[in-house]
Amino acid sequence: MFKKKISFVYDVKKRMKLCGFLALIPPVAICLQLLNLQTFQHEKFADKADRAIYSYLAEDRLRGPIYDVNGNVLAESVRTHSCGISPKYVKDKKATVAFLAKALKLPPARILEKWNRNGRFFFVEKNIKPDVYMEMLPALRKPVGQGLDLTPEYKRMRPYDKLALDLLGESNSKNLGLSGLEQMFNKELSQDISKKRAKRALRGDIIYDRKLKEELSVGSLYLTIDLQAQYFAEQALHKAVEEYGAEHGAVLVQEPSTGRILAAASYPVENGQSLPFQFTYEPGSTFKTIAISSALDAGTVSVTDSIDMEGRRWEVARGFTVKDNQHKKDFLSVPEVMQLSSNIGAGKIAVDLGAKNLFYYIKAFGFGTKTDINFNGEAKGFVPPYNKWTKVDTATKGYGYGISLTPVQLINAYSVIANGGYLMQPHLVDRIEYADGRVSKMSKPVKIRRVIKPETAKIMTKVLQSVVENGSGKRAQIKGYTVAGKTGTAEKLTKEGGYGKRSHIVSFCGFVPASKPQFTILVILDNPSKYTFGGTAAAPAFRQIAENLLTLKGVQPDQLDFIN
């Protein structure tokens, strides 16, 4: 009637089911774990495996080149290699040291000294020559090369040595711009140091992962600088500074119609320190051009007016007298004021113009503010507010004292006269071209404002031309070409507070050909040891630079009576 219960111990089927279930637990657990590892934690363990096999070595990226306006290379990065050692992979230390000493031409003691100081990896020699690299390369596959590493790097090269060094500046071995344009455009010229994936073989050889492609995003920097114009400027400046024993010197060459800077030279040369943009000084007589142009434009003086020389001793105010010792005339016309560089004439013209009007024109010509030429450390000079000027202040500003300016401001002001009265934005950088085809335009000619009327510019050009033909600028004359310019000899302030007769700055600024200006050129010599004048020291340097440029560019002579 009743079924007899069978004990689990004796129930074979149940026992088999239980054993089967228990037997399934490990493989199921393993499968689930494998699913977890290969699906949900794949990236984690793949990264661990990747790190175990590969390492990421820092490698300098290519730094973009710098070109002149015609595409001549001024600075570029050249691929080099540095030789390093990982001591733990070296099998025969003695043989390896002997090989390196012979290949790199280094004393074995020097290599051993580095070896003993560094337990892991160290560089034996940086930037080895290409022929040495090619000689060492086969050794990496031999026992003597185990543990050696030839790391690719980039070295900055300047094909023309120190030419334009003060503009270009320098960059270091880590691809970082330190000064000058290299620093200013560091972001555009460089990429971050890359981490390149590589694995090390059993012998210590480094094997780079070639599947990884590098994308270059560096820019190529094109300047407005003309290589040949820069050479002419530096050559003439060097000669003038050495001949007259000047402490410093600066030269600028500008294309007046566009504002482009074709040359910017300093001497002595210091990388990243460019006097044409950073040096400030009282200009002296070269500033008479600005004051007299302003008065002619405002109508407070006419080119035909005669200026009373007050017996060549003009008492501006009680206790302050301006003297003209370079002539014996009682009256001077405006051209004669410029030709003879009369302080009395320029001072009286400035006083008649008035402090407010003179201040307005000085600011309109671009003085007292930066030109935004985009060079590190550009100075802005100083023009005091006109409401603080006395009559003496107004008079002295007429002949270039009581204000400070930079060479680039002065040459840009002379270019106003050369191109019919417009102040142009000066440019040092032409454009930046990127590897992906992008181009940043930076030097499109920009007219900032009209400063003087075209008629005034024409009159002033004739006046400046007469300075070169009949006045203090005769040594700037160029056979076959009309030249317009003005000399300057300015005494410098001494530490005691007065002006020193033996401490001065001489200069010449002008443009050529006067009838259709192609180049505006400024030459400055700071504190020459030989007492000299702008007309005797700076004007000849101007002529040398201008003659070379006119010949190079094939500019036609503009003097109708020119005879070969």
Side-chain angles (χ1 to χ4, degrees):
M1 237 172 118
F2 298 101
K3 267 190 177 182
K4 188 176 179 181
K5 278 189 175 182
I6 300 173
S7 171
F8 177 78
V9 178
Y10 299 102
D11 191 331
V12 177
K13 287 184 178 182
K14 287 184 177 181
R15 289 171 63 188
M16 289 181 66
K17 288 180 180 180
L18 178 62
C19 289
F21 176 74
L22 292 173
L24 284 173
I25 289 175
V28 169
I30 292 171
C31 288
L32 290 174
Q33 180 64 3
L34 287 173
L35 178 66
N36 176 48
L37 293 175
Q38 294 185 5
T39 304
F40 301 107
Q41 297 192 55
H42 170 74
E43 291 186 7
K44 175 183 174 182
F45 287 97
D47 288 342
K48 281 187 176 181
D50 198 51
R51 286 196 297 271
I53 299 172
Y54 291 96
S55 60
Y56 289 81
L57 303 178
E59 184 184 50
D60 289 350
R61 292 284 186 96
L62 178 68
R63 187 173 178 84
I66 301 177
Y67 298 101
D68 84 334
V69 71
N70 298 311
N72 296 303
V73 177
L74 299 176
E76 64 179 341
S77 291
V78 177
R79 193 179 184 90
T80 64
H81 290 79
S82 294
C83 178
I85 296 179
S86 295
K88 70 176 182 178
Y89 293 105
V90 175
K91 301 300 181 184
D92 189 339
K93 179 178 178 179
K94 185 177 180 181
T96 300
V97 170
F99 167 73
L100 291 173
K102 182 180 178 182
L104 299 174
K105 295 181 175 56
L106 295 174
R110 179 178 165 186
I111 299 173
L112 287 170
E113 182 185 355
K114 288 186 178 181
W115 196 308
N116 295 331
R117 284 203 317 261
N118 300 276
R120 296 185 178 180
F121 178 85
F122 67 93
F123 282 109
V124 182
E125 186 79 340
K126 303 277 282 185
N127 297 318
I128 61 176
K129 295 179 179 179
D131 57 335
V132 176
Y133 167 74
M134 295 304 296
E135 289 177 9
M136 295 183 68
L137 196 58
L140 297 184
R141 299 187 176 276
K142 298 177 182 179
V144 73
Q146 292 185 25
L148 296 187
D149 174 34
L150 296 177
T151 305
E153 294 180 335
Y154 290 98
K155 183 179 180 181
R156 202 65 166 163
M157 302 291 289
R158 290 186 295 271
Y160 300 97
D161 196 23
K162 291 186 177 182
L163 190 77
L165 176 61
D166 54 326
L167 291 176
L168 300 177
E170 289 187 341
S171 60
N172 63 12
S173 60
K174 299 300 182 183
N175 203 31
L176 180 68
L178 299 178
S179 59
L181 293 168
E182 293 276 17
Q183 181 187 43
M184 292 165 55
F185 292 92
N186 186 63
K187 181 179 179 182
E188 292 81 359
L189 289 171
S190 66
Q191 292 177 313
D192 293 332
I193 294 177
S194 62
K195 297 289 186 178
K196 202 167 185 181
R197 194 167 75 159
K199 60 184 177 182
R200 191 178 288 277
L202 184 62
R203 298 183 305 178
D205 297 344
I206 292 176
I207 303 172
Y208 288 99
D209 186 353
R210 295 187 178 181
K211 293 180 181 179
L212 295 178
K213 293 183 178 180
E214 292 188 47
E215 293 184 4
L216 295 177
S217 61
V218 297
S220 298
L221 184 65
Y222 287 81
L223 307 182
T224 62
I225 295 295
D226 184 299
L227 175 68
Q228 291 168 312
Q230 183 71 23
Y231 173 75
F232 294 147
E234 291 189 12
Q235 186 184 49
L237 180 61
H238 183 186
K239 178 184 176 183
V241 169
E242 292 296 324
E243 182 177 352
Y244 293 98
E247 290 181 4
H248 306 92
V251 166
L252 273 170
V253 180
Q254 185 179 40
E255 190 175 67
S257 61
T258 63
R260 288 184 169 196
I261 301 297
L262 303 180
S266 304
Y267 188 84
V269 176
E270 295 183 34
N271 73 76
Q273 297 183 28
S274 185
L275 296 178
F277 311 113
Q278 299 168 336
F279 178 59
T280 59
Y281 69 109
E282 288 182 298
S285 293
T286 51
F287 200 76
K288 290 171 182 171
T289 302
I290 309 306
I292 293 176
S293 295
S294 303
L296 288 170
D297 195 68
T300 58
V301 72
S302 170
V303 73
T304 58
D305 288 350
S306 291
I307 313 298
D308 187 351
M309 290 294 102
E310 308 286 348
R312 295 174 300 284
R313 291 177 62 86
W314 175 40
E315 188 175 9
V316 184
R318 188 174 180 181
F320 188 88
T321 301
V322 180
K323 301 174 185 178
D324 274 359
N325 297 319
Q326 71 275 31
H327 68 87
K328 295 182 179 181
K329 294 188 176 183
D330 294 326
F331 291 87
L332 293 179
S333 66
V334 171
E336 287 175 328
V337 167
M338 291 291 283
Q339 292 167 22
L340 298 172
S341 202
S342 168
N343 286 352
I344 292 176
K348 294 186 79 171
I349 289 171
V351 170
D352 288 343
L353 176 61
K356 184 176 181 180
N357 286 335
L358 180 57
F359 177 83
Y360 165 80
Y361 276 102
I362 288 173
K363 298 295 285 186
F365 270 103
F367 298 104
T369 56
K370 292 184 180 181
T371 64
D372 291 331
I373 200 167
N374 294 325
F375 193 84
N376 278 349
E378 181 190 358
K380 67 177 184 178
F382 177 67
V383 181
Y386 72 88
N387 57 3
K388 294 185 179 180
W389 296 5
T390 63
K391 184 180 179 181
V392 170
D393 292 328
T394 306
T396 55
K397 284 171 181 56
Y399 50 88
Y401 287 90
I403 64 168
S404 68
L405 50 79
T406 63
V408 69
Q409 289 173 341
L410 186 63
I411 197 171
N412 215 37
Y414 270 69
S415 287
V416 168
I417 299 166
N419 61 32
Y422 281 104
L423 179 71
M424 303 297 293
Q425 171 62 49
H427 291 288
L428 187 58
V429 175
D430 183 45
R431 66 190 185 277
I432 303 174
E433 293 184 359
Y434 293 92
D436 58 9
R438 290 179 295 124
V439 178
S440 294
K441 296 283 186 181
M442 301 188 72
S443 70
K444 184 178 179 180
V446 176
K447 291 180 179 179
I448 298 175
R449 58 181 165 268
R450 178 177 286 286
V451 181
I452 56 177
K453 296 184 282 290
E455 298 78 17
T456 306
K458 287 181 181 179
I459 293 170
M460 203 61 208
T461 297
K462 291 294 183 182
V463 171
L464 291 173
Q465 194 174 330
S466 75
V467 173
V468 176
E469 293 174 354
N470 306 307
S472 59
K474 287 182 180 179
R475 295 193 183 186
Q477 291 177 4
I478 301 172
K479 193 174 183 180
Y481 297 90
T482 54
V483 178
K486 181 69 183 77
T487 58
T489 305
E491 295 174 355
K492 296 177 66 175
L493 279 169
T494 64
K495 294 179 180 179
E496 292 74 27
Y499 286 92
K501 293 290 183 183
R502 301 294 298 180
S503 180
H504 59 297
I505 293 176
V506 299
S507 59
F508 184 91
C509 192
F511 46 88
V512 62
S515 61
K516 191 177 181 181
Q518 301 296 308
F519 310 106
T520 308
I521 303 170
L522 170 62
V523 178
I524 300 170
L525 301 179
D526 180 20
N527 208 24
S529 59
K530 297 178 182 178
Y531 191 79
T532 186
F533 302 92
T536 54
F542 169 96
R543 184 184 64 241
Q544 180 183 338
I545 297 166
E547 284 178 335
N548 287 329
L549 287 173
L550 292 167
T551 302
L552 176 70
K553 302 301 181 182
V555 179
Q556 292 295 318
D558 65 336
Q559 278 190 336
L560 299 178
D561 58 348
F562 171 59
I563 301 175
N564 288 318

